[in-house]
Every structure is written in structure tokens, then in C-alpha cells.
Amino acid sequence: MSASTVMNSSISLSEYLSQHVSLYIKAYFDEVHPIYPFLNRASFEAMAFDPGLQATLAAGKAWSALYHAVLSLGCLHCGGGSFFPAKGHAWKFFKISLGLLPDILSGKRTLVTAQAMTAMAVFATNYSSLHVEELPVIEAARVALVLGLGKRFKSGESEVDRSCTFWIIYCLEKEYAFNVTRCSVINDCDIGCPLPPNENLPLRELDWLRTWASYCRIMTTAYDSLFSVSATLNSTEVYLEEIGRVHQRLNRWRDCIPEDFRPGLPIRPYKLGNRLLTSLALRIHLMYYNVLVAISRLSLHVEDKPSDQQSRSKITLMEAARSIIDATQFIAVEPFTSTWVMGHMPLAATFILFDFVVHNPTHPETRKNISFLDVSAGYFSRMEMATDAHIAGSTMAEFSHIARQHVSALQVSGNRQNQGAGENVSGGGGGGGDGSRSRHGSGSEGPFLKDKNSGIAVGDTSGGNEQDKQTQETMGNGMGLQNEAIWGHDSLMGSSEVCYANLSVHLIKMNIS
């Protein structure tokens, strides 16, 4: 209902605002609360709809910040969001909470303070607030530590409310720290707070909070043992052992998830029943592949000599990237979708497959990888349309075209060289292992290693020739990007100094993607 409608009807402005507040609060508890269950709905609504609300908001800065953060999240799910920084009706509510941040952090800290910071941290995961993403989640973790929410229960407050708030903060902070390659501020060894009972009825048989918290513990272990500064002192043998342990824990975690949500199995919206459960299944899939990609790439970097382990890691990396791109069909290109889901993960998967194609142009799996790049191009084009070209998805769509041109050009060049040398070319198009060996040199297996379990041969991307390097420079300059911004000093497959997730963040902030 517009303002002019209000003027021409018997509905007063206060009634109009009251109706929208009710709508936003309902949207919050229907759409956001099942994923981030840290508020007591009954007690929150009792205060939100109390006739003395204005006096309560004026007297309690922390409560006011929480109230407006909840309204911002509800408004986001009612069409009030935007892809533009600091724009949209939802941002106006969030701006009020953000303006109260200095007061609530310098004043007395309570459970409501922690809940306000948590609600703000959830809102800050979307595109309109990407520039303030770090502040709420880090401050929420610090408030939780100051209040001792992770310790044993203290009388005077609801044990369930404290526990729910702590574990949501824990998961938000752990995910953020891992994705930006930083050490978490919450020490797992210093937690004595039990997980709350599973009373999340909309999620059926899935104990979501336990599933999420268990995953975050795996991320903590992975960071400490594989990606921290001290982990760089590990020998190759220790690295591979730790990678194996993390991989085993990750697979055990996956196997404990109900089949409708389990990564590795297809997402079936018709079985899940509604958009909320479908988006949660998508999120669980991406969580699994996020860690899987990280440890697979690290394995390739640590073990630089051809081996069965390296071959399996390449297969795992390629299949994970394909699964991520396949899951983009379920991503809601909406302002309420987190940047990590809508941007970072599809970008990472696209770069992985692009790298496979460029460095293995004659590999049998290359055609299929190009098809997945086409799917990725369609997704990013859809994103550009949905955001009114604010997110330049067509730039990413060019990667599919470049990869296809690169493969075609090398096939034509290879055929001409073979004909000039008087060689017989088998296979007609230079698609298999023989053609690859002619480019890289002779040997019993050439640059390809066959995995014993799957039988798929994976190219060795640790090397390369002058033609590959020239192609990299051409593509980098043709895209209007600096060569090192994409390729670094080696191919992305061969360097773990800059991970795909961080590269995705960099490109998004450059407004390239």
C-alpha cells in the first residue's frame, strides 16, 4: 500500500506502519528464524507489539538495535532489498541499528546486545551491506566472549536463549574466519555451553544447528592443521596425513545428514516441499564443497610430483566444481541471498573448471567441463539481468567463450602440425591421451595419470609451455584484467597462496563479477 493510498483511505499512517511492522516481523520468523534460531519469538513479539514500544526503544539502545535489525531482515524478504550498496528500504532499518552500534558497544553488554549484533551480522551477509560485513560478526563474537555465553549457564537468564545465541554467533564467526583465511576469535577448547534441543519444526528431521556447528568445528580443525601460519612448517607427509583426517571427518559429517539434504545426492525441491528447505539443502551442499575444494587444492600444492593421490585430488576438485555449478539452478538471485552463496562459490567453481580446460585442452573431460562453463555463463547472465546490470555477470560469462575458443584453436593448430610432420592422427580431433603426449613429450603415461578407482585420466597442470603462457596473457588482457590478478605466477591449480574464495571476493569488490 502506497502513501497516496493511505491519504485516500480511512487507514491512518500509524495503522499503515503497524501493518508493515507486523508483516516484517512475521516474514523474519518465517524465513530467517528457522536458519538462525537465536530469538525467543513469544518474548520478542510481546515487546514489539507492546503499546509502550516507543518508550522501550528510547530507553534501550540494544533493544532498539535488535528491533530494527529484525525489521530490516523481514523487509529484505518482503521485496525491500537492493543489490546496490547502502540502498533499499531494508537498509534504512539496518542503518538505524548500525547508527546505534557505538552506543551499545560502549554501554553495558547484555544478552540483548549479543542478539542485536547477531541480527546485524546476518543482514550484513547480503550485497547491499558487503562493505560492513566484517564489523557485526567480529563484534558479535567479542560480545559473546565478554558475556561468557560459551561457558556454563548462569542463573537469571534463559539457558536456551543463551545457548542459541552463542551457537549462532559461533557458526557465523567460524564460517567468516575460514572463508577469509583468518584465525577464529572463539577457542573451541574453551566452550562449555551445550547445544540447545532441536525444536525447529519447519526443518523436519534435520537438526540444523547441530549440523552447522559440527561443520564449523571441522573448519576450525582444517584451518589450525592446514592453513594457519604454523601449519606451513609441516612436512609433506604430515600435510597429507592431516588432509586425510579432515577429509574423513568431512565425509562422516556428510553421511550423518538426512538424504534429502545430503551433499553428493541430487537436490529435489519436489521432495523437500518448500523454498526454505530447498535453500537450506543448497547451503549444506555448498558448505561441504567449500571445505572439499580447499583441501583438494592444498593437496595438489603440497604434493607437486605426479602420484595417485594427486590424481584423486584433481578428480575431486573437478567434480566438486561441477556440483557447485550444477547447484546454481537452485540459487535465488535475490537481495536476501548471501554473497557467499550467490557469488563466491559459483565464481570459485567457474575458475576451477576454466583452469582445467585451459591447461588440459585435449583431455577427454574437457568437453563436459566446457558444458558446465556454459551453465555457469547462463547463471551469471541471469544474475546480471536480476540486478539490472549492477553485477556485471556477462564478464564472467565470457570465460566459457574464451575456453571454447582456446580449445578449438589448439585442436586446429595440432592438426596442422601433425599433417605437416606426416603423422597419422587418430581420433579425428585431437581429443585423447595420444594427442596430449605429442604436445608435452613422450613417456609411458605422458602428463596424464589414471585414477585406479574411477579410471578417469587427469592432466598434469604443474607445467605448461610457451603457448599456454601466451594464451594466459592474451586472455587476461582481453578481459581487461591484469594477468597476475587471475593467474598469479603459476596456474590457479598449482598455487595455494591465493585460494579461489579469496579471488572471488577480490573480483566482487572490483565490481567485475
Side-chain angles (χ1 to χ4, degrees), residues 204-431:
R204 302 191 305 188
E205 74 277 8
L206 176 69
D207 191 344
W208 161 239
L209 189 53
R210 184 176 296 275
T211 299
W212 193 13
S214 300
Y215 168 78
C216 290
R217 293 227 165 180
I218 295 173
M219 285 198 301
T220 300
T221 302
Y223 180 83
D224 292 343
S225 61
L226 299 175
F227 301 105
S228 62
V229 174
S230 60
T232 60
L233 303 176
N234 292 340
S235 64
T236 299
E237 292 74 17
V238 173
Y239 253 128
L240 294 177
E241 289 178 2
E242 293 296 336
I243 289 172
R245 291 191 186 99
V246 172
H247 199 176
Q248 289 175 1
R249 286 191 61 182
L250 187 65
N251 286 337
R252 286 198 300 268
W253 171 82
R254 179 198 60 189
D255 294 340
C256 292
I257 298 173
E259 289 189 359
D260 288 345
F261 302 91
R262 185 178 302 167
L265 298 179
I267 299 175
R268 304 188 187 279
Y270 64 88
K271 290 187 66 178
L272 294 169
N274 59 59
R275 184 181 60 80
L276 176 64
L277 295 179
T278 301
S279 64
L280 186 59
L282 168 69
R283 179 169 180 160
I284 293 173
H285 278 62
L286 295 183
M287 286 161 54
Y288 173 77
Y289 293 122
N290 185 30
V291 175
L292 190 61
V293 165
I295 62 177
S296 297
R297 291 198 62 252
L298 181 62
S299 177
L300 293 177
H301 176 71
V302 169
E303 193 175 22
D304 55 357
K305 296 181 180 179
S307 66
D308 289 345
Q309 174 63 36
Q310 190 183 68
S311 177
R312 286 191 293 270
S313 296
K314 290 177 181 178
I315 294 170
T316 301
L317 189 62
M318 182 176 66
E319 292 177 345
R322 288 175 174 180
S323 297
I324 294 169
I325 291 177
D326 183 56
T328 56
Q329 60 184 302
F330 304 109
I331 297 177
V333 184
E334 298 285 349
F336 56 75
T337 303
S338 73
T339 308
W340 178 76
V341 170
M342 194 165 67
H344 296 177
M345 292 302 291
L347 272 171
T350 301
F351 283 123
I352 291 170
L353 290 187
F354 181 76
D355 194 63
F356 265 112
V357 170
V358 168
H359 290 87
N360 303 277
T362 58
H363 190 270
E365 295 291 312
T366 293
R367 287 187 178 274
K368 193 171 183 179
N369 287 336
I370 292 178
S371 297
F372 274 99
L373 287 176
D374 290 339
V375 174
S376 174
Y379 168 75
F380 284 108
S381 297
R382 176 164 64 96
M383 183 187 294
E384 181 169 342
M385 290 181 59
T387 61
D388 292 329
H390 176 63
I391 301 176
S394 59
T395 303
M396 288 302 303
E398 289 294 323
F399 278 84
S400 173
H401 177 67
I402 293 171
R404 193 180 297 276
Q405 278 192 327
H406 174 61
V407 171
S408 298
L410 288 183
Q411 287 177 347
V412 172
S413 175
N415 289 339
R416 289 176 178 174
Q417 291 177 3
N418 290 338
Q419 290 174 1
E423 295 179 356
N424 294 324
V425 180
S426 62

Side-chain angles (χ1 to χ4, degrees), residues 5 7 45 85 92 100 111 122 127 175 238 266 273 345 378 404 408 477 509:
T5 305
M7 297 298 294
E45 290 182 339
K92 294 178 181 178
L100 294 169
L111 179 61
V122 174
Y127 268 94
E175 278 195 336
V238 173
M345 292 302 291
R404 193 180 297 276
S408 298
N477 296 332
K509 290 182 177 178

Side-chain angles (χ1 to χ4, degrees), residues 68 149 155 443 467:
H68 288 98
L149 297 183
S155 60
Q467 188 174 9

Side-chain angles (χ1 to χ4, degrees), residues 41-54:
R41 181 170 189 171
S43 61
F44 180 86
E45 290 182 339
M47 295 186 68
F49 299 129
D50 187 83
L53 173 64
Q54 294 303 321

